[in-house]
Amino acid sequence: MQAQIINGLEIRKAILEEIKAETAEYKTKTGKVPGLVTILVGENPASVSYVTLKVKTALEMGFNEVQVNLPESCTEQELLDTVEKYNRDDSIHGILVQLPLPKHIDENKVIYAIDPDKDVDGFHPVNIGRLLLGGKHTKYPPCTPAGIVEMLSRAGVGTEGKEVVIVGRSNLVGKPLANMLCAKGKNANATVTICHTGTKDLASHCKRADILVAAAGCPGLIKPEWVKPGACVIDVGVNRVGEKISEKTGKKVAILKGDTDFDALLDIAGYITPVPGGVGPMTIAMLMKNTLNAFKYTMEK
Ligand code: GUN
């Protein structure tokens, strides 16, 4: 039987509709809406396109969206002052500083400067600590792993007691996802193994997985014969392997390849996420969810 394709675009649409409706409800009841500031330094084309989409989506949700564009030449102190300005602004509930930052700015210093209660990316060490403690402690799970958990839940892929193997140990995906899935509670309770490209006999670990998450950033790393028949394969890899001319726009666009071989897995896996159109679109939905939650926390205070 062919694998069921988990469509990130459709799931994102459903989540955004829920967020938009809840925001409208809050506006009617309280006259207030969530506020998100997106801070972009410089003009890195990938960052510009990510931020443009975040701004557009926040506006569609009915959020108060503030866009700050600083020049590539801005100093670290100017950026820190901008962050501090929004830490103090009560109409702003979420602060997002788009990464990567220019080399002359210390990224960690900037992340540490964001009020953890407004850190909707979930990158601040306080929020990583909250995630590790789990349950009610968790405030802002990082958007990509949160998107994966949401996808599994909405696709009806249970995690209870399952063998989850994550290939990739990044701070953004592998490590937080492992903590989320092995936690006690709903959409969790899994047995998790974290592997990486240096793992001895990676194949044998992958073959055990009921849920295999490929997040190493290596195109085609996971061989089809490493996947257990019927397993759920979540491909987080977004590897640029070349360029092509888009049929839609006539412009040059990147050719993207995941860490797995989607076509070969269609006849092996039980569930599979495509690249693009799988995990990628979920990230922005979870950013909006974290921003709505940041707003709700202040309303409940
Ligand atoms: N750059 C690439 N992805 C992200 C993200 O999720 N958040 C931020 N702040 N920067 C990014």
Side-chain angles (χ1 to χ4, degrees):
M1 217 168 70
Q2 253 220 348
Q4 188 174 319
I5 297 169
I6 308 179
N7 186 326
L9 289 164
E10 275 175 17
I11 299 176
R12 171 173 74 180
K13 191 162 172 259
I15 295 170
L16 291 180
E17 274 166 16
E18 290 163 17
I19 294 172
K20 193 173 170 180
E22 207 175 337
T23 301
E25 227 174 88
Y26 266 103
K27 190 174 180 182
T28 307
K29 272 199 278 187
T30 68
K32 293 185 178 160
V33 293
L36 174 68
V37 61
T38 48
I39 304 172
L40 173 65
V41 183
E43 289 166 11
N44 172 324
S47 293
V48 170
S49 77
Y50 285 136
V51 168
T52 304
L53 188 60
K54 288 170 188 176
V55 169
K56 181 173 165 274
T57 310
L59 291 171
E60 280 168 8
M61 295 303 99
F63 291 0
N64 165 29
E65 162 64 42
V66 178
Q67 198 179 354
V68 177
N69 292 321
L70 297 172
E72 179 89 18
S73 60
C74 96
T75 64
E76 187 177 273
Q77 193 54 50
E78 281 167 334
L79 178 55
L80 291 171
D81 290 346
T82 305
V83 167
E84 186 52 24
K85 175 179 165 192
Y86 292 103
N87 279 343
R88 292 165 186 267
D89 184 338
D90 287 343
S91 71
I92 292 297
H93 309 92
I95 299 174
L96 181 137
V97 179
Q98 186 65 25
L99 304 178
L101 290 169
K103 288 200 169 55
H104 65 278
I105 299 178
D106 182 344
E107 228 161 66
N108 282 335
K109 207 165 166 185
V110 176
I111 292 170
Y112 283 38
I114 298 172
D115 177 349
D117 289 344
K118 294 192 177 188
D119 167 40
V120 285
D121 260 325
F123 291 168
H124 193 289
V126 166
N127 284 317
I128 304 289
R130 287 169 169 164
L131 182 86
L132 194 69
L133 293 170
K136 287 198 174 127
H137 295 278
T138 301
K139 209 156 188 186
Y140 305 118
C143 299
T144 301
I148 294 170
V149 173
E150 193 72 32
M151 273 183 125
L152 292 171
S153 162
R154 292 195 186 224
V157 179
T159 54
E160 183 87 32
K162 296 278 179 72
E163 286 280 348
V164 175
V165 175
I166 301 171
V167 185
R169 54 181 155 178
S170 69
N171 289 338
L172 290 190
V173 184
K175 283 194 234 169
L177 181 64
N179 280 291
M180 291 163 83
L181 290 176
C182 76
K184 214 172 199 171
K186 207 171 144 232
N187 300 323
N189 288 337
T191 304
V192 181
T193 307
I194 305 186
C195 302
H196 47 83
T197 50
T199 296
K200 201 170 87 183
D201 198 3
L202 182 56
S204 71
H205 290 283
C206 293
K207 282 178 188 172
R208 275 192 294 110
D210 300 313
I211 298 171
L212 178 59
V213 181
C218 298
L221 172 72
I222 308 297
K223 304 290 170 266
E225 59 272 22
W226 297 0
V227 175
K228 184 162 82 171
C232 171
V233 180
I234 304 289
D235 193 340
V236 193
V238 186
N239 307 294
R240 287 163 193 254
V241 293
E243 282 183 338
K244 62 177 180 184
I245 303 293
S246 160
E247 281 175 23
K248 249 197 205 161
T249 62
K251 286 185 187 165
K252 252 191 205 172
V253 289
I255 300 170
L256 301 178
K257 190 171 176 358
D259 286 2
T260 67
D261 182 343
F262 179 82
D263 292 335
L265 288 181
L266 277 174
D267 290 330
I268 302 170
Y271 294 83
I272 187 166
T273 62
V275 176
V279 175
M282 294 297 295
T283 305
I284 206 151
M286 303 323 288
L287 174 69
M288 298 300 134
K289 193 169 178 185
N290 277 349
T291 306
L292 174 62
N293 283 339
F295 167 70
K296 283 160 71 173
Y297 294 136
T298 64
M299 300 299 286
E300 286 159 11
K301 257 185 195 166

